[in-house]
């Protein structure tokens, strides 16, 4: 078994555009839960409307790609308002129910036959990001020892990671402002924040909108990365991947989702490549494991590792183990 090849595959997965995109979506989820305490189990719904808002704008209205991305983020604002207005004044579990249900309803609507002329139905949409690839400044692949990145992958990594770190910088500025301190106060004790004259509903809505916009931006990048989207690519398990990433890195930490995504994708790709290589080398007999079971085994292993981590570091890899101090000045 070529261990070096397995490690190179895992490192490419950890640094690839998918890891950056999931980190960006998890940053939005971190605003919801980590800083505000909102139980959003439908972040994939924001990703869906962002992806389709971008693709439909380009293909159906011949808009530039950057306009399509803005339209996708605007769709996320509308979705956040629709979800937040009736639920944010109630207990947190109502928002959890509303978001996971809304994400599934949207998926079925976008894949329905009556929406097929616009969304492509179950077949989805393709070839809508040529404008971005035309701007690719890289003329050839990059080779760093066993690591090799194509010029396309380099460009997508630059765009995706650049966007993710800009979003992290924005979040850092916001959470260290008076606005961010109020969010933490709302998370810790809504009644205490309300007694100090803070409009808890307004702050919750602002957090829901901001986190949803980042999720929509991640959805747009996911669509651009693959140049093809279908509604069934936005299934509920994606949201739970994002929760895993956020918890793994550390909720309420600016760099937590980024670190969590890198570790998450490294483990997934490492286990996948390791198991396949071990099977090819005969280390694992076919009677014990078949290729179709590798996906389930690697997720079970990651889940077990996350459980062990929570036993020793409940706040995540870089999470703050101490209670946050309330400061709503």
């Amino acid at each position: 078994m070529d261990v070096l090849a397995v490690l190179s595959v895992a490192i490419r997965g950890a640094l690839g555009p998918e890891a950056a995109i999931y980190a960006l979506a998890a940053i939005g989820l971190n605003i919801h839960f980590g800083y505000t305490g909102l139980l959003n189990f439908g972040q994939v719904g924001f990703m869906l409307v962002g992806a389709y808002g971008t693709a439909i704008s380009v293909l159906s209205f011949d808009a530039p790609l950057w306009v399509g991305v803005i339209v996708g983020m605007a769709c996320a604002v509308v979705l956040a308002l629709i979800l937040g207005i009736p639920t944010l004044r109630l207990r947190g579990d109502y928002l959890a129910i509303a978001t996971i249900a809304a994400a599934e309803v949207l998926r079925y609507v976008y894949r329905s036959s009556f929406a097929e002329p616009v969304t492509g139905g179950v077949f989805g949409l393709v070839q809508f990001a040529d404008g971005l690839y035309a701007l690719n400044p890289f003329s050839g692949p990059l080779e760093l020892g066993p690591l090799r990145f194509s010029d396309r992958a380099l460009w997508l990594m630059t765009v995706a990671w650049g966007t993710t770190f800009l979003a992290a910088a924005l979040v850092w500025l916001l959470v260290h402002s008076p606005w961010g301190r109020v969010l933490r106060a709302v998370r810790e004790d809504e009644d205490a924040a309300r007694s100090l004259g803070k409009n808890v509903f307004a702050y919750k809505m602002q957090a829901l909108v901001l986190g949803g916009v980042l999720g929509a931006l991640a959805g747009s990048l996911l669509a651009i990365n693959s140049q093809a989207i279908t509604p069934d690519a936005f299934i509920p398990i994606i949201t739970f991947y994002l929760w895993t990433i956020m918890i793994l890195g550390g909720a309420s930490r600016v760099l937590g989702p980024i670190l969590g995504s890198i570790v998450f994708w490294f483990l997934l790709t490492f286990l996948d490549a390791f198991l396949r290589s071990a099977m090819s080398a005969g280390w694992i007999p076919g009677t014990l494991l078949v290729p179709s079971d590798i996906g389930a085994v690697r997720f079970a292993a990651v889940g077990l590792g996350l459980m062990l981590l929570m036993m020793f570091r409940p706040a995540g890899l870089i999470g703050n183990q101490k209670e946050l101090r309330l400061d709503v000045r």
Side-chain angles (χ1 to χ4, degrees):
M1 183 175 63
D2 191 346
V3 177
L4 190 60
V6 172
L7 287 174
S8 64
V9 169
I11 293 172
R12 284 200 301 270
L15 301 179
E18 292 86 359
I21 291 167
Y22 275 71
L24 179 60
I27 289 173
L29 185 62
N30 197 29
I31 294 174
H32 291 160
F33 177 76
Y35 292 109
T36 318
L38 301 178
L39 292 175
N40 174 16
F41 288 140
Q43 184 72 339
V44 71
F46 290 103
M47 296 176 69
L48 185 150
V49 298
Y52 271 93
T54 300
I56 292 172
S57 298
V58 174
L59 295 177
S60 298
F61 299 97
D62 199 27
L65 183 61
W66 65 270
V67 173
V69 173
I70 293 175
V71 170
M73 292 189 291
C75 292
V77 174
V78 174
L79 178 60
L81 293 175
I82 293 174
L83 292 176
I85 289 175
T87 60
L88 288 180
R89 296 185 187 277
L90 304 174
R91 295 197 310 269
D93 50 355
Y94 286 96
L95 179 63
I97 295 170
T99 50
I100 194 171
E104 274 296 90
V105 168
L106 284 171
R107 183 171 70 88
Y108 280 107
V109 168
Y110 276 66
R111 77 190 305 273
S112 63
S113 57
F114 71 83
E116 186 172 342
V118 178
T119 66
V122 295
F123 304 102
L125 301 172
V126 296
Q127 297 299 318
F128 44 81
D130 293 336
L132 178 67
Y133 293 109
L135 300 175
N136 188 351
F138 299 101
S139 58
L142 173 66
E143 295 188 9
L144 299 173
L147 295 178
R148 186 181 188 278
F149 299 97
S150 66
D151 56 340
R152 173 191 169 104
L154 284 173
W155 179 227
L156 288 172
M157 288 166 59
T158 301
V159 173
W161 281 114
T163 304
T164 299
F165 280 106
L166 284 175
L170 173 64
V171 171
W172 186 89
L173 291 174
L174 289 174
V175 300
H176 287 85
S177 69
W179 183 81
R181 291 195 289 271
V182 174
L183 287 191
R184 294 195 295 271
V186 170
R187 180 196 63 193
E188 295 294 337
D189 192 331
E190 289 186 22
D191 293 332
R194 194 176 289 110
S195 69
L196 294 173
K198 304 302 179 181
N199 188 335
V200 171
F201 173 79
Y203 279 94
K204 282 184 174 182
M205 181 61 73
Q206 292 164 18
L208 184 63
V209 168
L210 179 58
V213 166
L214 293 180
L217 183 56
S220 297
L221 290 174
L222 188 65
I224 290 169
N225 177 48
S226 62
Q227 276 271 57
I229 53 171
T230 62
D232 291 334
F234 299 92
I235 55 178
I237 197 172
I238 301 297
T239 296
F240 295 99
Y241 292 167
L242 300 178
W243 275 88
T244 300
I245 288 169
M246 180 186 65
I247 294 172
L248 179 61
S252 75
R253 306 292 285 185
V254 172
L255 295 179
I258 295 176
L259 178 61
S261 185
I262 292 173
V263 173
F264 178 78
W265 280 98
F266 177 87
L267 292 175
L268 281 187
T269 52
F270 174 82
L271 289 171
D272 184 88
F274 175 81
L275 291 173
R276 293 185 187 279
S277 182
M279 291 181 66
S280 300
W283 292 9
I284 301 178
T287 55
L288 182 63
L289 182 67
V290 296
S292 59
D293 293 334
I294 289 178
V297 171
R298 64 175 184 168
F299 279 114
V302 171
L304 179 60
L306 185 63
M307 290 174 57
L308 294 174
L309 174 67
M310 292 299 100
M311 293 175 60
F312 299 99
R313 287 196 63 84
L317 293 173
I318 60 172
N320 188 356
Q321 306 293 334
K322 299 179 180 179
E323 293 185 358
L324 294 175
R325 178 177 59 88
L326 294 184
D327 189 352
V328 293
R329 291 178 295 175

